[in-house]
């Protein structure tokens, strides 16, 4: 059954490579179908991969090989809640280590320019702490980080 709402992500000829990386990296992710172009189009030829249906952590996506015209931006990102440092490290390192780029406060980009927030639950919980001083300490600690270090976040929360 086709989802009523699917995220469409634009790629320049490498939607299948991106979808394969996501399926191999994130749990509950898979390639569902690969569709080739029935005719020539501005950025490709008949028979080229045109679209890839896939899921990322259960979220339905469509990768479109639309060419180089449009690029991903930080205005759209996947936020991934992680349970521990090992999961945080594994996902961050997979994205950055596959040609991606580190950023600040738990953000990184994959090699296709798609933004990811690798967000430990300890960070989310700490920033929502009813003790405003604890929440501020967590926030201040996060502002100094690229990849989130849960032990530093927990220490900041404790004060």
């Amino acid at each position: 059954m086709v989802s009523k709402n699917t995220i469409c992500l634009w790629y320049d000829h490498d939607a299948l490579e991106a979808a394969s990386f996501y399926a191999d990296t994130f749990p509950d992710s898979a390639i569902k179908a690969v569709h080739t172009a029935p005719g020539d189009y501005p950025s490709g030829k008949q028979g080229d991969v045109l679209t890839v249906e896939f899921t990322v952590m259960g979220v339905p996506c469509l990768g479109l090989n639309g060419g180089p015209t449009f690029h991903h931006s930080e205005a759209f990102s996947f936020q991934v809640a992680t349970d521990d440092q090992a999961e945080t490290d594994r996902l961050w390192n997979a994205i950055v280590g596959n040609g991606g780029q580190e950023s600040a406060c738990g953000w990184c980009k994959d090699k296709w320019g798609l933004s990811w927030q690798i967000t430990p639950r300890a960070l989310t919980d700490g920033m929502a702490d009813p003790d405003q001083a604890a929440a501020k300490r967590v926030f201040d600690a996060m502002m100094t980080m690229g990849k989130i270090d849960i032990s530093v976040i927990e220490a900041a929360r404790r004060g």
Side-chain angles (χ1 to χ4, degrees), residues 17-120:
E17 180 188 356
S20 296
F21 173 75
Y22 305 145
D24 290 344
T25 302
F26 297 98
D28 193 22
S29 301
I31 294 174
K32 301 294 186 182
V34 177
H35 303 284
T36 58
D40 292 349
Y41 60 107
S43 63
K45 301 285 185 206
Q46 179 178 352
D48 289 352
V49 172
L50 179 62
T51 61
V52 180
E53 295 176 42
F54 60 100
T55 57
V56 176
M57 296 170 290
V59 175
C61 298
L62 179 76
L64 169 66
N65 280 328
T69 305
F70 299 105
H71 303 278
H72 299 290
S73 82
E74 291 83 0
F76 175 87
S77 65
F78 280 100
Q79 184 177 38
V80 181
T82 56
D83 293 319
D84 56 32
Q85 194 66 52
E87 183 181 22
T88 301
D89 292 347
R90 183 184 74 76
L91 296 177
W92 177 278
N93 294 341
I95 292 167
V96 172
N98 188 46
Q101 179 181 23
E102 295 185 17
S103 190
C105 304
W107 290 69
C108 57
K109 286 185 183 180
D110 64 28
K111 75 183 214 175
W112 301 279
L114 187 62
S115 291
W116 297 84
Q117 297 177 62
I118 308 302
T119 310

